[in-house]
Amino acid sequence: MAADPDSMLIEACERQDAGEEGVIDPFWATTWRAAAGLDRFLDHVDVKDVPVLELGCGTGHAGIAAMLRGAKVTLTDGVEDPLLLVRMSVWQHRDQCTVQRLRFGIDTLEDQSFPIILGSDVTYLRQLWPELDVCLRQHLTEGGRVLLSDPYRFIANEFRGWIQNRGWQYTEHKVELEDDPKHPIRVMELRL
């Protein structure tokens, strides 16, 4: 588990913004507060028997939370390492979960769409936003909603305007967590 994941994220983003190629993405190696906040938010979302897609699942926290509430979940990540961990984590519930690789802008889940798409901390890199937009449009059912969470990072403030300019309706929710009530989690709800 990463000792200081927020510092790792900031350093990697700065290196990528500076144009460094091949920056390794170790962010899946810990459960982020944004995933815990999305888990808490799911207390107010009826996911029983609903197909749910989790993008950039990392440890799978949000997707597993949906599965434990009765959803039929597809957990995805663009990196193979976290998917091995997630497969082990959901092994007992494999009848409720599918785990597969999905890279924004490259892969698609053929003929699959979902009324709910989850993602925690998937908006921290500007260069992924266009691919994320495409992925959401490819996999969201008509009338569906996307729930993306983050810890009120400045970059997600930019994302809000960027995604609204592409035709998405945006609603913001605040989720407080007991571990640090002064730093809530934002859940960005998107609809077309």
Side-chain angles (χ1 to χ4, degrees):
M1 181 174 285
D4 188 359
D6 284 316
S7 293
M8 289 171 56
L9 175 65
I10 291 167
E11 177 193 348
C13 290
E14 287 171 349
R15 289 169 53 199
Q16 288 174 337
D17 284 348
E20 185 176 334
E21 297 284 330
V23 177
I24 295 174
D25 179 353
F27 310 129
W28 62 268
T30 190
T31 296
W32 291 70
R33 290 184 78 248
L38 190 49
D39 177 353
R40 174 70 51 84
F41 186 79
L42 288 174
D43 286 342
H44 309 287
V45 179
D46 183 11
V47 295
K48 184 149 180 61
D49 300 320
V50 174
V52 171
L53 172 64
E54 183 180 9
L55 301 175
C57 69
T59 62
H61 184 133
I64 291 170
M67 179 210 55
L68 292 173
R69 290 172 172 87
K72 179 79 171 164
V73 180
T74 300
L75 297 116
T76 66
D77 203 288
V79 181
E80 196 59 43
D81 289 343
L83 297 177
L84 295 172
L85 173 68
V86 171
R87 282 184 184 98
M88 289 187 288
S89 297
V90 301
W91 182 252
Q92 289 184 303
H93 302 279
R94 59 191 177 276
D95 59 321
Q96 269 183 273
C97 293
T98 302
V99 179
Q100 65 187 93
R101 187 170 185 189
L102 177 65
R103 296 165 294 173
F104 306 155
I106 298 172
D107 305 319
T108 60
L109 304 176
E110 294 297 323
D111 301 319
Q112 292 186 58
S113 60
F114 301 84
I116 298 177
I117 298 178
L118 306 175
S120 55
D121 265 324
V122 296
T123 59
Y124 60 85
L125 289 175
R126 282 180 200 91
Q127 67 255 37
L128 287 181
W129 294 351
E131 289 86 359
L132 176 60
D133 182 34
V134 168
C135 184
L136 294 174
R137 290 173 189 274
Q138 288 172 330
H139 296 100
L140 188 65
T141 59
E142 188 174 332
R145 63 183 173 160
V146 178
L147 302 172
L148 305 176
S149 63
D150 90 304
Y152 283 91
R153 285 198 177 88
F154 180 76
I155 190 80
N157 293 337
E158 290 180 35
F159 177 77
R160 174 182 52 225
W162 185 91
I163 201 73
Q164 286 177 310
N165 287 336
R166 276 142 191 84
W168 290 90
Q169 297 172 12
Y170 179 99
T171 306
E172 192 167 292
H173 308 277
K174 179 167 52 172
V175 178
E176 292 183 6
L177 297 175
E178 291 79 18
D179 71 328
D180 189 357
K182 292 182 181 178
H183 295 98
I185 299 301
R186 164 180 28 208
V187 175
M188 300 171 272
E189 182 174 351
L190 308 176
R191 295 179 186 262
L192 282 173

